[in-house]
Amino acid sequence: MPTPSMEDYLERIYKLIDEKGYARVSDIAEGLEVHPSSVTKMIQKLDKDEYLIYEKYRGLVLTNKGKKVGKRLVDRHELLEEFLEMIGVDQENIYKDVEGIEHHLSWDSITCIAGLVEYFKRESSRAEDLRKVQQELLGES
């Protein structure tokens, strides 16, 4: 099981490869706001744990295991963003909030949140009812 730090790297690498077709150390470092030397160390660990194949000066490729975990992490991130937006969290807070909670939720909790998001999507009036309750709680009715 990857650590939260490993998850951050796998998520970033997966997204870069999906968007650009490749992931360079400099791109990963920039996206995660870390030093390239830290990226190289983590890439070596991810290689050792068989999430990717890394050849010095040649680049990296995600293994099937790495692709599966990377996709799952990206999906989790997107689900949590959608959930927070759906329940009315201010847009400016969503990314930071997701980064703060995504590693602390069990996959069981993620599955339950996915069910709740689907519940709200199936009938928009449910989300409207939620907004009314929130306004009442804030004394804005």
mmCIF file with all atom_site columns, all heavy atoms in Angstrom, residues 38-55:
data_model
loop_
_atom_site.group_PDB
_atom_site.id
_atom_site.type_symbol
_atom_site.label_atom_id
_atom_site.label_alt_id
_atom_site.label_comp_id
_atom_site.label_asym_id
_atom_site.label_entity_id
_atom_site.label_seq_id
_atom_site.pdbx_PDB_ins_code
_atom_site.Cartn_x
_atom_site.Cartn_y
_atom_site.Cartn_z
_atom_site.occupancy
_atom_site.B_iso_or_equiv
_atom_site.pdbx_formal_charge
_atom_site.auth_seq_id
_atom_site.auth_comp_id
_atom_site.auth_asym_id
_atom_site.auth_atom_id
_atom_site.pdbx_PDB_model_num
ATOM 1   N N   . SER A 1 38 ? 14.376 15.263 -4.657  1.00 0.00 ? 38 SER A N   1
ATOM 2   C CA  . SER A 1 38 ? 13.345 14.532 -3.904  1.00 0.00 ? 38 SER A CA  1
ATOM 3   C C   . SER A 1 38 ? 12.517 13.665 -4.845  1.00 0.00 ? 38 SER A C   1
ATOM 4   O O   . SER A 1 38 ? 12.145 12.537 -4.503  1.00 0.00 ? 38 SER A O   1
ATOM 5   C CB  . SER A 1 38 ? 12.416 15.501 -3.172  1.00 0.00 ? 38 SER A CB  1
ATOM 6   O OG  . SER A 1 38 ? 13.132 16.270 -2.242  1.00 0.00 ? 38 SER A OG  1
ATOM 7   N N   . VAL A 1 39 ? 12.238 14.203 -6.025  1.00 0.00 ? 39 VAL A N   1
ATOM 8   C CA  . VAL A 1 39 ? 11.483 13.444 -7.020  1.00 0.00 ? 39 VAL A CA  1
ATOM 9   C C   . VAL A 1 39 ? 12.269 12.202 -7.432  1.00 0.00 ? 39 VAL A C   1
ATOM 10  O O   . VAL A 1 39 ? 11.719 11.098 -7.497  1.00 0.00 ? 39 VAL A O   1
ATOM 11  C CB  . VAL A 1 39 ? 11.147 14.302 -8.262  1.00 0.00 ? 39 VAL A CB  1
ATOM 12  C CG1 . VAL A 1 39 ? 10.483 13.465 -9.347  1.00 0.00 ? 39 VAL A CG1 1
ATOM 13  C CG2 . VAL A 1 39 ? 10.254 15.480 -7.875  1.00 0.00 ? 39 VAL A CG2 1
ATOM 14  N N   . THR A 1 40 ? 13.549 12.370 -7.690  1.00 0.00 ? 40 THR A N   1
ATOM 15  C CA  . THR A 1 40 ? 14.382 11.240 -8.106  1.00 0.00 ? 40 THR A CA  1
ATOM 16  C C   . THR A 1 40 ? 14.386 10.147 -7.044  1.00 0.00 ? 40 THR A C   1
ATOM 17  O O   . THR A 1 40 ? 14.242 8.961  -7.361  1.00 0.00 ? 40 THR A O   1
ATOM 18  C CB  . THR A 1 40 ? 15.814 11.713 -8.414  1.00 0.00 ? 40 THR A CB  1
ATOM 19  O OG1 . THR A 1 40 ? 15.763 12.686 -9.458  1.00 0.00 ? 40 THR A OG1 1
ATOM 20  C CG2 . THR A 1 40 ? 16.695 10.556 -8.843  1.00 0.00 ? 40 THR A CG2 1
ATOM 21  N N   . LYS A 1 41 ? 14.502 10.532 -5.777  1.00 0.00 ? 41 LYS A N   1
ATOM 22  C CA  . LYS A 1 41 ? 14.489 9.545  -4.688  1.00 0.00 ? 41 LYS A CA  1
ATOM 23  C C   . LYS A 1 41 ? 13.156 8.798  -4.651  1.00 0.00 ? 41 LYS A C   1
ATOM 24  O O   . LYS A 1 41 ? 13.130 7.576  -4.504  1.00 0.00 ? 41 LYS A O   1
ATOM 25  C CB  . LYS A 1 41 ? 14.738 10.224 -3.338  1.00 0.00 ? 41 LYS A CB  1
ATOM 26  C CG  . LYS A 1 41 ? 16.165 10.638 -3.118  1.00 0.00 ? 41 LYS A CG  1
ATOM 27  C CD  . LYS A 1 41 ? 16.315 11.315 -1.764  1.00 0.00 ? 41 LYS A CD  1
ATOM 28  C CE  . LYS A 1 41 ? 17.674 11.964 -1.643  1.00 0.00 ? 41 LYS A CE  1
ATOM 29  N NZ  . LYS A 1 41 ? 17.785 12.773 -0.442  1.00 0.00 ? 41 LYS A NZ  1
ATOM 30  N N   . MET A 1 42 ? 12.064 9.533  -4.784  1.00 0.00 ? 42 MET A N   1
ATOM 31  C CA  . MET A 1 42 ? 10.755 8.889  -4.731  1.00 0.00 ? 42 MET A CA  1
ATOM 32  C C   . MET A 1 42 ? 10.539 8.006  -5.959  1.00 0.00 ? 42 MET A C   1
ATOM 33  O O   . MET A 1 42 ? 9.975  6.907  -5.846  1.00 0.00 ? 42 MET A O   1
ATOM 34  C CB  . MET A 1 42 ? 9.637  9.923  -4.615  1.00 0.00 ? 42 MET A CB  1
ATOM 35  C CG  . MET A 1 42 ? 8.244  9.303  -4.538  1.00 0.00 ? 42 MET A CG  1
ATOM 36  S SD  . MET A 1 42 ? 7.980  8.148  -3.152  1.00 0.00 ? 42 MET A SD  1
ATOM 37  C CE  . MET A 1 42 ? 7.722  9.313  -1.824  1.00 0.00 ? 42 MET A CE  1
ATOM 38  N N   . ILE A 1 43 ? 10.979 8.454  -7.107  1.00 0.00 ? 43 ILE A N   1
ATOM 39  C CA  . ILE A 1 43 ? 10.842 7.633  -8.320  1.00 0.00 ? 43 ILE A CA  1
ATOM 40  C C   . ILE A 1 43 ? 11.588 6.319  -8.150  1.00 0.00 ? 43 ILE A C   1
ATOM 41  O O   . ILE A 1 43 ? 11.092 5.256  -8.536  1.00 0.00 ? 43 ILE A O   1
ATOM 42  C CB  . ILE A 1 43 ? 11.328 8.413  -9.567  1.00 0.00 ? 43 ILE A CB  1
ATOM 43  C CG1 . ILE A 1 43 ? 10.294 9.459  -9.957  1.00 0.00 ? 43 ILE A CG1 1
ATOM 44  C CG2 . ILE A 1 43 ? 11.595 7.465  -10.729 1.00 0.00 ? 43 ILE A CG2 1
ATOM 45  C CD1 . ILE A 1 43 ? 10.739 10.371 -11.080 1.00 0.00 ? 43 ILE A CD1 1
ATOM 46  N N   . GLN A 1 44 ? 12.761 6.373  -7.540  1.00 0.00 ? 44 GLN A N   1
ATOM 47  C CA  . GLN A 1 44 ? 13.527 5.148  -7.302  1.00 0.00 ? 44 GLN A CA  1
ATOM 48  C C   . GLN A 1 44 ? 12.774 4.207  -6.359  1.00 0.00 ? 44 GLN A C   1
ATOM 49  O O   . GLN A 1 44 ? 12.753 2.997  -6.556  1.00 0.00 ? 44 GLN A O   1
ATOM 50  C CB  . GLN A 1 44 ? 14.913 5.486  -6.760  1.00 0.00 ? 44 GLN A CB  1
ATOM 51  C CG  . GLN A 1 44 ? 15.786 6.153  -7.807  1.00 0.00 ? 44 GLN A CG  1
ATOM 52  C CD  . GLN A 1 44 ? 17.058 6.772  -7.245  1.00 0.00 ? 44 GLN A CD  1
ATOM 53  O OE1 . GLN A 1 44 ? 17.174 7.015  -6.040  1.00 0.00 ? 44 GLN A OE1 1
ATOM 54  N NE2 . GLN A 1 44 ? 18.013 7.048  -8.119  1.00 0.00 ? 44 GLN A NE2 1
ATOM 55  N N   . LYS A 1 45 ? 12.126 4.792  -5.340  1.00 0.00 ? 45 LYS A N   1
ATOM 56  C CA  . LYS A 1 45 ? 11.325 3.973  -4.414  1.00 0.00 ? 45 LYS A CA  1
ATOM 57  C C   . LYS A 1 45 ? 10.119 3.379  -5.133  1.00 0.00 ? 45 LYS A C   1
ATOM 58  O O   . LYS A 1 45 ? 9.801  2.199  -4.954  1.00 0.00 ? 45 LYS A O   1
ATOM 59  C CB  . LYS A 1 45 ? 10.883 4.815  -3.223  1.00 0.00 ? 45 LYS A CB  1
ATOM 60  C CG  . LYS A 1 45 ? 10.047 4.035  -2.226  1.00 0.00 ? 45 LYS A CG  1
ATOM 61  C CD  . LYS A 1 45 ? 9.950  4.735  -0.907  1.00 0.00 ? 45 LYS A CD  1
ATOM 62  C CE  . LYS A 1 45 ? 9.129  4.003  0.120   1.00 0.00 ? 45 LYS A CE  1
ATOM 63  N NZ  . LYS A 1 45 ? 9.216  2.564  0.133   1.00 0.00 ? 45 LYS A NZ  1
ATOM 64  N N   . LEU A 1 46 ? 9.444  4.189  -5.961  1.00 0.00 ? 46 LEU A N   1
ATOM 65  C CA  . LEU A 1 46 ? 8.280  3.694  -6.703  1.00 0.00 ? 46 LEU A CA  1
ATOM 66  C C   . LEU A 1 46 ? 8.694  2.602  -7.697  1.00 0.00 ? 46 LEU A C   1
ATOM 67  O O   . LEU A 1 46 ? 7.933  1.667  -7.944  1.00 0.00 ? 46 LEU A O   1
ATOM 68  C CB  . LEU A 1 46 ? 7.568  4.845  -7.415  1.00 0.00 ? 46 LEU A CB  1
ATOM 69  C CG  . LEU A 1 46 ? 6.877  5.848  -6.496  1.00 0.00 ? 46 LEU A CG  1
ATOM 70  C CD1 . LEU A 1 46 ? 6.436  7.085  -7.289  1.00 0.00 ? 46 LEU A CD1 1
ATOM 71  C CD2 . LEU A 1 46 ? 5.685  5.216  -5.791  1.00 0.00 ? 46 LEU A CD2 1
ATOM 72  N N   . ASP A 1 47 ? 9.890  2.728  -8.234  1.00 0.00 ? 47 ASP A N   1
ATOM 73  C CA  . ASP A 1 47 ? 10.434 1.699  -9.129  1.00 0.00 ? 47 ASP A CA  1
ATOM 74  C C   . ASP A 1 47 ? 10.669 0.409  -8.342  1.00 0.00 ? 47 ASP A C   1
ATOM 75  O O   . ASP A 1 47 ? 10.263 -0.677 -8.766  1.00 0.00 ? 47 ASP A O   1
ATOM 76  C CB  . ASP A 1 47 ? 11.730 2.200  -9.766  1.00 0.00 ? 47 ASP A CB  1
ATOM 77  C CG  . ASP A 1 47 ? 12.344 1.215  -10.740 1.00 0.00 ? 47 ASP A CG  1
ATOM 78  O OD1 . ASP A 1 47 ? 11.591 0.585  -11.515 1.00 0.00 ? 47 ASP A OD1 1
ATOM 79  O OD2 . ASP A 1 47 ? 13.577 1.073  -10.739 1.00 0.00 ? 47 ASP A OD2 1
ATOM 80  N N   . LYS A 1 48 ? 11.283 0.537  -7.182  1.00 0.00 ? 48 LYS A N   1
ATOM 81  C CA  . LYS A 1 48 ? 11.560 -0.620 -6.327  1.00 0.00 ? 48 LYS A CA  1
ATOM 82  C C   . LYS A 1 48 ? 10.262 -1.326 -5.928  1.00 0.00 ? 48 LYS A C   1
ATOM 83  O O   . LYS A 1 48 ? 10.205 -2.554 -5.864  1.00 0.00 ? 48 LYS A O   1
ATOM 84  C CB  . LYS A 1 48 ? 12.319 -0.162 -5.087  1.00 0.00 ? 48 LYS A CB  1
ATOM 85  C CG  . LYS A 1 48 ? 12.706 -1.259 -4.126  1.00 0.00 ? 48 LYS A CG  1
ATOM 86  C CD  . LYS A 1 48 ? 13.516 -0.674 -2.964  1.00 0.00 ? 48 LYS A CD  1
ATOM 87  C CE  . LYS A 1 48 ? 13.402 -1.489 -1.725  1.00 0.00 ? 48 LYS A CE  1
ATOM 88  N NZ  . LYS A 1 48 ? 12.178 -1.343 -0.986  1.00 0.00 ? 48 LYS A NZ  1
ATOM 89  N N   . ASP A 1 49 ? 9.208  -0.552 -5.676  1.00 0.00 ? 49 ASP A N   1
ATOM 90  C CA  . ASP A 1 49 ? 7.910  -1.115 -5.279  1.00 0.00 ? 49 ASP A CA  1
ATOM 91  C C   . ASP A 1 49 ? 7.034  -1.495 -6.480  1.00 0.00 ? 49 ASP A C   1
ATOM 92  O O   . ASP A 1 49 ? 5.854  -1.796 -6.317  1.00 0.00 ? 49 ASP A O   1
ATOM 93  C CB  . ASP A 1 49 ? 7.162  -0.131 -4.378  1.00 0.00 ? 49 ASP A CB  1
ATOM 94  C CG  . ASP A 1 49 ? 7.818  0.023  -3.009  1.00 0.00 ? 49 ASP A CG  1
ATOM 95  O OD1 . ASP A 1 49 ? 8.733  -0.763 -2.683  1.00 0.00 ? 49 ASP A OD1 1
ATOM 96  O OD2 . ASP A 1 49 ? 7.422  0.945  -2.267  1.00 0.00 ? 49 ASP A OD2 1
ATOM 97  N N   . GLU A 1 50 ? 7.612  -1.417 -7.669  1.00 0.00 ? 50 GLU A N   1
ATOM 98  C CA  . GLU A 1 50 ? 6.976  -1.870 -8.914  1.00 0.00 ? 50 GLU A CA  1
ATOM 99  C C   . GLU A 1 50 ? 5.742  -1.065 -9.343  1.00 0.00 ? 50 GLU A C   1
ATOM 100 O O   . GLU A 1 50 ? 4.834  -1.600 -9.972  1.00 0.00 ? 50 GLU A O   1
ATOM 101 C CB  . GLU A 1 50 ? 6.662  -3.367 -8.839  1.00 0.00 ? 50 GLU A CB  1
ATOM 102 C CG  . GLU A 1 50 ? 7.901  -4.208 -8.625  1.00 0.00 ? 50 GLU A CG  1
ATOM 103 C CD  . GLU A 1 50 ? 7.624  -5.700 -8.519  1.00 0.00 ? 50 GLU A CD  1
ATOM 104 O OE1 . GLU A 1 50 ? 6.439  -6.092 -8.423  1.00 0.00 ? 50 GLU A OE1 1
ATOM 105 O OE2 . GLU A 1 50 ? 8.597  -6.468 -8.533  1.00 0.00 ? 50 GLU A OE2 1
ATOM 106 N N   . TYR A 1 51 ? 5.729  0.227  -9.009  1.00 0.00 ? 51 TYR A N   1
ATOM 107 C CA  . TYR A 1 51 ? 4.670  1.108  -9.504  1.00 0.00 ? 51 TYR A CA  1
ATOM 108 C C   . TYR A 1 51 ? 5.064  1.715  -10.853 1.00 0.00 ? 51 TYR A C   1
ATOM 109 O O   . TYR A 1 51 ? 4.215  2.163  -11.610 1.00 0.00 ? 51 TYR A O   1
ATOM 110 C CB  . TYR A 1 51 ? 4.371  2.232  -8.509  1.00 0.00 ? 51 TYR A CB  1
ATOM 111 C CG  . TYR A 1 51 ? 3.686  1.748  -7.257  1.00 0.00 ? 51 TYR A CG  1
ATOM 112 C CD1 . TYR A 1 51 ? 4.396  1.598  -6.061  1.00 0.00 ? 51 TYR A CD1 1
ATOM 113 C CD2 . TYR A 1 51 ? 2.336  1.424  -7.261  1.00 0.00 ? 51 TYR A CD2 1
ATOM 114 C CE1 . TYR A 1 51 ? 3.772  1.142  -4.918  1.00 0.00 ? 51 TYR A CE1 1
ATOM 115 C CE2 . TYR A 1 51 ? 1.701  0.967  -6.118  1.00 0.00 ? 51 TYR A CE2 1
ATOM 116 C CZ  . TYR A 1 51 ? 2.431  0.831  -4.949  1.00 0.00 ? 51 TYR A CZ  1
ATOM 117 O OH  . TYR A 1 51 ? 1.811  0.377  -3.808  1.00 0.00 ? 51 TYR A OH  1
ATOM 118 N N   . LEU A 1 52 ? 6.374  1.760  -11.095 1.00 0.00 ? 52 LEU A N   1
ATOM 119 C CA  . LEU A 1 52 ? 6.865  2.292  -12.361 1.00 0.00 ? 52 LEU A CA  1
ATOM 120 C C   . LEU A 1 52 ? 8.212  1.687  -12.684 1.00 0.00 ? 52 LEU A C   1
ATOM 121 O O   . LEU A 1 52 ? 8.830  1.030  -11.848 1.00 0.00 ? 52 LEU A O   1
ATOM 122 C CB  . LEU A 1 52 ? 6.939  3.827  -12.329 1.00 0.00 ? 52 LEU A CB  1
ATOM 123 C CG  . LEU A 1 52 ? 7.737  4.513  -11.215 1.00 0.00 ? 52 LEU A CG  1
ATOM 124 C CD1 . LEU A 1 52 ? 9.226  4.530  -11.526 1.00 0.00 ? 52 LEU A CD1 1
ATOM 125 C CD2 . LEU A 1 52 ? 7.243  5.934  -11.029 1.00 0.00 ? 52 LEU A CD2 1
ATOM 126 N N   . ILE A 1 53 ? 8.631  1.905  -13.911 1.00 0.00 ? 53 ILE A N   1
ATOM 127 C CA  . ILE A 1 53 ? 9.956  1.484  -14.349 1.00 0.00 ? 53 ILE A CA  1
ATOM 128 C C   . ILE A 1 53 ? 10.713 2.763  -14.675 1.00 0.00 ? 53 ILE A C   1
ATOM 129 O O   . ILE A 1 53 ? 10.239 3.585  -15.466 1.00 0.00 ? 53 ILE A O   1
ATOM 130 C CB  . ILE A 1 53 ? 9.873  0.568  -15.586 1.00 0.00 ? 53 ILE A CB  1
ATOM 131 C CG1 . ILE A 1 53 ? 9.092  -0.698 -15.235 1.00 0.00 ? 53 ILE A CG1 1
ATOM 132 C CG2 . ILE A 1 53 ? 11.274 0.232  -16.093 1.00 0.00 ? 53 ILE A CG2 1
ATOM 133 C CD1 . ILE A 1 53 ? 8.696  -1.531 -16.425 1.00 0.00 ? 53 ILE A CD1 1
ATOM 134 N N   . TYR A 1 54 ? 11.862 2.926  -14.030 1.00 0.00 ? 54 TYR A N   1
ATOM 135 C CA  . TYR A 1 54 ? 12.653 4.141  -14.192 1.00 0.00 ? 54 TYR A CA  1
ATOM 136 C C   . TYR A 1 54 ? 14.035 3.796  -14.702 1.00 0.00 ? 54 TYR A C   1
ATOM 137 O O   . TYR A 1 54 ? 14.712 2.931  -14.148 1.00 0.00 ? 54 TYR A O   1
ATOM 138 C CB  . TYR A 1 54 ? 12.760 4.880  -12.861 1.00 0.00 ? 54 TYR A CB  1
ATOM 139 C CG  . TYR A 1 54 ? 13.680 6.069  -12.882 1.00 0.00 ? 54 TYR A CG  1
ATOM 140 C CD1 . TYR A 1 54 ? 13.382 7.182  -13.657 1.00 0.00 ? 54 TYR A CD1 1
ATOM 141 C CD2 . TYR A 1 54 ? 14.844 6.088  -12.122 1.00 0.00 ? 54 TYR A CD2 1
ATOM 142 C CE1 . TYR A 1 54 ? 14.229 8.287  -13.669 1.00 0.00 ? 54 TYR A CE1 1
ATOM 143 C CE2 . TYR A 1 54 ? 15.691 7.190  -12.124 1.00 0.00 ? 54 TYR A CE2 1
ATOM 144 C CZ  . TYR A 1 54 ? 15.372 8.281  -12.910 1.00 0.00 ? 54 TYR A CZ  1
ATOM 145 O OH  . TYR A 1 54 ? 16.206 9.366  -12.924 1.00 0.00 ? 54 TYR A OH  1
ATOM 146 N N   . GLU A 1 55 ? 14.420 4.464  -15.776 1.00 0.00 ? 55 GLU A N   1
ATOM 147 C CA  . GLU A 1 55 ? 15.778 4.335  -16.291 1.00 0.00 ? 55 GLU A CA  1
ATOM 148 C C   . GLU A 1 55 ? 16.405 5.716  -16.286 1.00 0.00 ? 55 GLU A C   1
ATOM 149 O O   . GLU A 1 55 ? 15.875 6.643  -16.913 1.00 0.00 ? 55 GLU A O   1
ATOM 150 C CB  . GLU A 1 55 ? 15.771 3.774  -17.713 1.00 0.00 ? 55 GLU A CB  1
ATOM 151 C CG  . GLU A 1 55 ? 15.286 2.344  -17.799 1.00 0.00 ? 55 GLU A CG  1
ATOM 152 C CD  . GLU A 1 55 ? 15.326 1.820  -19.222 1.00 0.00 ? 55 GLU A CD  1
ATOM 153 O OE1 . GLU A 1 55 ? 16.226 2.215  -19.982 1.00 0.00 ? 55 GLU A OE1 1
ATOM 154 O OE2 . GLU A 1 55 ? 14.445 1.016  -19.552 1.00 0.00 ? 55 GLU A OE2 1
#
